């Protein structure tokens, strides 16, 4: 009720796309489910931004009016980056974010003529063909003690109380900080590699498959046998901390 039509059209478009992907015979995906009160929509998008106005530090959002955006003038400059075609508002654990989609007019990096091969690993973030390696930053391990204290305090709170919800937000903010640190480090390393080498060879494998859960082992009597998921969860945590497996929004 009271939701602008520009946001409703985006939700309907995503819903239609989800239904089409679920009916795909070659690669069917899971059917879309109804989002209840505990699983609300966390992002909305405006697909037509012809009349959307912006200033140095704010944007005019449909239904909300002028909304201040921190660092907008530093990251978005219409004279150099061009006019944005659509935008998206995303709610994360710590705050709201604004994504602007613009057409890229930047010039490509100059060709250096150098070629490199990269092997992603666990002990080192990656190792190139001349045996130079980059150590993983281990952002999760740095925050492990603080995260343990937050989770221990959460276990002492009454479930559903205001203190319980506030402590949940603190834990979510800490996880969001770790994800941003990983993403920033990956962008910095990838930019450095692209600037240095003209061609880069990387092993072709799906990193997301490494973080999947083990399949359940069920007997004929209906009982479940140990499938090693407890050990696999510890391995997944190590892989994510080394940015090998990309987690949710990380």
């Amino acid at each position: 009720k009271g939701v602008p039509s520009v946001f409703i059209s985006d939700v309907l478009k995503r819903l239609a796309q989800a239904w089409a992907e679920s009916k795909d015979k070659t690669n069917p995906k899971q059917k879309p489910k109804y989002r209840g009160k505990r699983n609300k929509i966390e992002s909305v998008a405006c697909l037509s931004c012809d009349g959307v106005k912006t200033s140095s530090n704010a944007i005019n959002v449909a239904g909300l009016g002028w909304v201040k955006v921190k660092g907008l003038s530093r990251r978005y400059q219409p004279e150099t980056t061009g006019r944005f075609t659509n935008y998206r508002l995303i709610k994360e654990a710590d705050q709201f974010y604004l994504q602007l989609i613009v057409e890229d007019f930047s010039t490509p990096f100059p060709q250096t003529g150098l070629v490199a091969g990269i092997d992603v690993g666990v002990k080192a973030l990656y190792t190139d063909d001349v045996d130079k390696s980059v150590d993983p930053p281990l952002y999760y391990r740095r925050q492990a003690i603080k995260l343990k204290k937050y989770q221990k305090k959460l276990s002492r709170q009454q479930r559903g109380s205001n203190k319980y919800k506030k402590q949940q937000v603190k834990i979510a903010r800490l996880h969001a900080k770790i994800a941003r640190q990983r993403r920033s480090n990956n962008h910095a390393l990838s930019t450095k590699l692209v600037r240095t080498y003209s061609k880069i060879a990387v092993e072709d494998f799906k990193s997301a498959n490494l973080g999947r859960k083990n399949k359940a082992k069920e007997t004929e009597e209906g009982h479940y046998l140990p499938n090693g998921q407890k050990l696999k969860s510890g391995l997944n945590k190590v892989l994510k901390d080394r940015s090998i497996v990309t987690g949710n929004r990380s």
Side-chain angles (χ1 to χ4, degrees), residues 126-139:
Y126 70 83
T127 305
D128 57 12
D129 52 353
V130 294
D131 203 19
K132 290 184 179 180
S133 60
V134 176
D135 296 330
L138 303 178
Y139 296 113

Side-chain angles (χ1 to χ4, degrees), residues 91-226:
K91 180 185 178 183
E92 291 194 357
D94 50 352
Q95 53 190 340
F96 289 87
Y97 290 89
L98 172 68
Q99 286 185 350
L100 299 178
I101 292 86
V102 300
E103 188 175 355
D104 187 14
F105 294 102
S106 60
T107 57
F109 296 136
Q111 297 292 327
T112 60
L114 300 178
V115 181
I118 294 177
D119 181 27
V120 180
V122 177
K123 186 176 181 180
L125 190 59
Y126 70 83
T127 305
D128 57 12
D129 52 353
V130 294
D131 203 19
K132 290 184 179 180
S133 60
V134 176
D135 296 330
L138 303 178
Y139 296 113
Y140 180 84
R141 182 176 294 182
R142 295 179 185 179
Q143 303 290 346
I145 298 177
K146 183 184 292 187
L147 184 61
K148 185 177 181 180
K149 290 181 179 179
Y150 284 178
Q151 291 174 339
K152 189 174 182 180
K153 187 176 180 180
L154 179 67
S155 63
R156 297 173 179 174
Q157 305 295 339
Q158 184 178 358
R159 183 178 294 270
S161 62
N162 292 332
K163 291 184 178 180
Y164 185 88
K165 295 178 181 179
K166 289 181 180 179
Q167 194 63 24
Q168 276 185 321
V169 173
K170 286 185 178 181
I171 296 175
R173 285 178 176 175
L174 186 57
H175 279 294
K177 179 182 179 181
I178 296 172
R180 287 197 305 270
Q181 289 175 329
R182 290 173 181 167
R183 186 165 55 246
S184 177
N185 182 68
N186 289 342
H187 283 312
L189 290 177
S190 60
T191 303
K192 181 181 179 180
L193 290 172
V194 172
R195 286 179 179 271
T196 306
Y197 302 102
S198 298
K199 294 182 181 180
I200 302 174
V202 186
E203 181 183 0
D204 185 14
F205 74 99
K206 295 182 179 180
S207 60
N209 293 341
L210 298 176
R212 288 185 176 180
K213 293 183 179 180
N214 294 341
K215 293 184 179 180
K217 296 181 180 180
E218 186 177 3
T219 61
E220 296 179 355
E221 294 79 9
H223 302 290
Y224 289 94
L225 299 176

